[in-house]
């Protein structure tokens, strides 16, 4: 591999641009929508600790591995895996890993876009003052009405998919990079404000202790699997999103340092979302375990009651949409890059095909909340099933394989060449990807299927 080989799709303009894009991919609905509701469902504190452990011991080393592999391969995850497999002299089957990722990205985006559609609908609701009563029963009804309406969900899902494909179509620096420049910092400021509001409720302590005081009796195999799956999901790992972003990374940038920053920022945003939401849940006598509607049923109460709530409500949901957009583009980028590389079509055509397929599957997700809500496979709706298969199975399996490939298959001198770290640091990383990360994933799976 030559030192200065570049991706045909372009490159990030700077280290900062890469950090923004990768943080943009990591920070999304996973942090603000999903983390609070799954933490709520699994009883809070103990779940949060397992999730934090997974981020540190499994997520971070795998993130370093994924970026490193992407930068070395310089193509879509499928072709990158082929190149790296040949370079390492490993079994050809390893290149299937790229396919697993592309498929996972497609499946995730199909439901991600429907949820991002909810956020779009809430921008309009916020604008027309629908939260102004600040009354929790009224706000609950708004959410129930929304998900009961198939056409409204399909409409917003369509808008969101169109926006995603528009940005992706503009390419790496023109589309992806520009989109995230302003969004991330502003989102952070609004979250600080919401945490400030939560502090004024008299349930702030209760919210905090729910989130941080561990009660391990609530933790079973499924809780651990969900926490681990979420660590992959929230860091965008195990499916090639971070790998494909790594493939646009210029040579002279430290992979390890940037990974620490991305994982740190991602965790901070999730915790802040939790700190903002749970006090509101308890102050209004709501249940923390109500599922995917949680942020839509709680935060509007804050907006209805706080000073300037109309403005902050609009801003919050606008930013949530943008946070979702900077993640959704990375979910489909591996497929688009592969179509451009292998099917000899333009980026535009690739976007149309990939976008249409995802949109089509998303329709079934939108219907699973209403007209098809009785249709269940293994007791799960289409939405629940897609979420479970991707976050709890495909991403951990993908991550497991990435760790094993980086740790055991790649030639150590190639790893060193990419990582450019002091020897002890490489030794720590290598211990984590060789043993700790794969063993943890494996043990959790064995436990869930009841073997241990
Ligand atoms: N990390 C994103 C989020 O938390 C979701 C995502 C998963 C993006 C996998 C890319 C790949 O919302």
């Amino acid at each position: 591999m030559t030192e200065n080989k570049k991706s045909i799709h372009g490159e990030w303009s700077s280290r900062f641009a890469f950090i923004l894009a990768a943080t943009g991919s990591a920070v999304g609905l996973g942090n603000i929508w999903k983390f609070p509701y799954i933490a709520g469902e699994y009883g809070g504190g103990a779940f949060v600790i397992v999730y934090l452990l997974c981020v540190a011991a499994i997520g971070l080393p795998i993130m370093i591995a994924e970026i490193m592999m992407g930068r070395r391969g310089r193509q879509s995850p499928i072709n990158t895996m082929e190149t790296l497999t040949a370079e390492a002299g490993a079994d050809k089957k390893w290149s299937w890993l790229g396919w697993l990722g592309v498929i996972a990205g497609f499946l995730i985006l199909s439901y991600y876009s429907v949820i991002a559609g909810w956020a779009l609908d809430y921008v309009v609701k916020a604008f027309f003052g629908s939260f102004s009563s600040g009354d929790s029963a009224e706000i609950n009804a708004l959410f129930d009405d929304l998900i009961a309406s198939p056409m409204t969900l399909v409409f917003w899902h369509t808008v969101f998919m169109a926006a995603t494909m528009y940005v992706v179509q503009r390419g790496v620096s023109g589309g992806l990079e520009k989109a995230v420049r302003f969004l991330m910092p502003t989102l952070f400021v609004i979250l600080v404000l919401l945490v400030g509001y939560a502090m004024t409720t008299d349930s702030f302590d209760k919210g905090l202790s729910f989130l941080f005081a561990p009660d391990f009796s609530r933790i079973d195999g499924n809780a651990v699997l969900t926490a681990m799956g979420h660590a992959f999901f929230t860091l965008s790992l195990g499916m090639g999103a971070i790998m494909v972003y790594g493939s646009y990374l210029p040579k002279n940038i430290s992979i390890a340092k940037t990974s620490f920053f991305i994982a740190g920022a991602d965790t901070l945003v999730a915790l802040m979302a939790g700190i903002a939401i749970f006090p509101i849940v308890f102050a209004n006598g709501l249940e923390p375990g109500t599922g995917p509607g949680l942020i839509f049923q709680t935060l509007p109460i804050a907006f209805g009651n706080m000073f300037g709530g109309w403005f902050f409500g609009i801003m919050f949901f606008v930013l949530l949409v943008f946070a979702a957009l900077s993640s959704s583009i990375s979910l489909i980028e591996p497929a688009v890059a592969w179509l451009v590389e292998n099917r000899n079509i333009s980026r535009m055509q690739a976007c149309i095909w990939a976008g249409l397929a995802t949109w089509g599957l998303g329709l079934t997700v939108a219907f699973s909340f209403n007209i098809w809500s009785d249709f269940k496979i293994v007791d799960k709706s289409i939405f629940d099933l897609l979420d479970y298969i991707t976050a709890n199975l495909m991403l951990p399996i993908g991550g497991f394989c990435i760790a094993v490939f980086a740790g055991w298959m790649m030639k150590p001198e190639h790893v060193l060449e990419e990582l450019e770290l002091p020897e002890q640091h490489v030794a720590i990383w290598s211990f984590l990807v060789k043993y700790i990360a794969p063993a943890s994933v494996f043990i959790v799976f064995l436990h869930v299927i009841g073997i241990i």
Side-chain angles (χ1 to χ4, degrees), residues 126 131 302-314:
F131 312 142
F303 298 128
N305 288 314
M306 71 199 244
F307 176 74
W310 177 77
F311 176 74
F312 292 125
I314 301 173

Side-chain angles (χ1 to χ4, degrees), residues 25-31 108 112 233-237 239 241 327 330-331 395:
S25 166
V27 175
L29 296 176
N31 308 60
I108 294 174
Y112 203 84
F233 184 88
T234 190
L235 296 174
S236 306
L237 296 178
M239 52 89 22
S327 302
S330 70
L331 280 162
L395 299 186

Side-chain angles (χ1 to χ4, degrees), residues 62-138:
I62 292 185
M63 179 178 280
I64 296 176
E66 231 187 286
I67 301 177
M68 172 199 65
M69 286 161 66
R71 186 165 72 181
R72 194 154 186 89
R74 289 263 180 252
Q75 301 148 82
S76 69
I78 295 176
N79 291 331
T80 285
M81 281 314 299
E82 261 171 31
T83 308
L84 295 184
T85 304
E87 189 187 56
D91 191 300
K92 274 214 157 68
K93 292 205 183 69
W94 278 101
S95 46
W96 293 358
L97 188 49
W99 282 101
L100 179 77
V102 166
I103 295 166
F106 158 71
L107 297 179
I108 294 174
L109 185 54
S110 72
Y111 70 82
Y112 203 84
S113 167
V114 174
I115 312 294
W118 298 357
L120 273 168
D121 185 80
Y122 269 59
V123 171
V124 178
K125 285 195 167 53
F127 181 81
F128 286 108
S130 308
F131 312 142
S132 59
S133 70
D135 174 66
S136 76
E138 249 174 63

Side-chain angles (χ1 to χ4, degrees), residues 232-249:
F232 283 102
F233 184 88
T234 190
L235 296 174
S236 306
L237 296 178
M239 52 89 22
I242 287 292
M243 194 185 286
V244 82
Y245 275 17
S247 76
Y248 308 144
L249 186 64

Side-chain angles (χ1 to χ4, degrees), residues 26-37 112 187-188 191 194 230 234 266 269-274 277 292 294-296 298-299 316-317 319-321 323-324:
V27 175
L29 296 176
N31 308 60
I32 299 168
W33 159 74
K34 194 172 182 193
F35 169 71
Y37 91 75
Y112 203 84
L187 180 69
F188 193 75
L191 270 179
L194 282 171
H230 187 65
T234 190
D266 186 77
V269 172
L271 293 180
M272 282 173 64
I277 285 164
L294 189 65
I295 63 160
F296 297 94
T298 48
L299 293 182
F316 175 80
F317 286 109
L319 288 164
L320 185 59
V321 169

